[in-house]
Amino acid sequence: VFGTVLDLGGSLTPPLAQFLQSKGGQKSAALVWAQWRYRQRIEQYQDTLLMLGHSGYLETAKRALVSALRLNKIEATPGEIEQVMAAWKELAAYPDVLPGLRRLKGRYRLVALSNGDAWFLQHLVQDRIRFEFDGVISVDTVGAFKPHPAVYRRAAAIMGLEPQQVMMEFRMPIIEGGGTESSS
């Protein structure tokens, strides 16, 4: 869902830019966003690989934001952090996603498998994506983030399938600086 269906950078960079502007505007929102997203993945991998306990998607996003701000020597109060984090509830889908999902719906069973917290996914699917998936599965059911193999095995079991019967879609958007961000 995050980065595949929902445009994280396009949705989060504008409110991040507003916040950075309020702090003097010395740092590029695109740069801070790239650092934030990179650090979030590290937080998720640490939770899973080091078996630190599943702290949840939004918690890792918040820790990553704090880390990116510290890296850039940007002071933020807990209230300001919460204001920036509130933008996650307003995520928008990529413009090509809904037409693509509608075309696939007749041919495939479409299930969203996401690192997102179950309650948060329900909000996003219902209020932001507005698409009726055949199922929505959160990694909360396993207590580990993707790419832990148990996540994919559990999702297949929930769907009544073997792992080899399941396909995953990946979006590889180009990010500033010429690199790519892989998402699932």
Side-chain angles (χ1 to χ4, degrees), residues 87-127:
W88 284 88
K89 293 182 181 160
E90 303 302 319
L91 297 174
Y94 286 103
D96 62 342
V97 165
L98 289 176
L101 288 172
R102 287 185 197 108
R103 282 194 309 273
L104 292 171
K105 181 89 168 154
R107 297 178 57 200
Y108 301 100
R109 192 168 152 201
L110 300 180
V111 176
L113 171 61
S114 177
N115 277 333
D117 310 301
W119 68 268
F120 186 44
L121 289 174
Q122 183 167 347
H123 158 70
L124 292 172
V125 168
Q126 190 173 31
D127 301 327

Side-chain angles (χ1 to χ4, degrees), residues 135-154:
V136 178
I137 302 170
S138 167
V139 298
D140 287 352
T141 63
V142 174
F145 288 109
K146 294 184 292 180
H148 194 288
V151 170
Y152 302 101
R153 289 188 184 111
R154 179 74 178 137

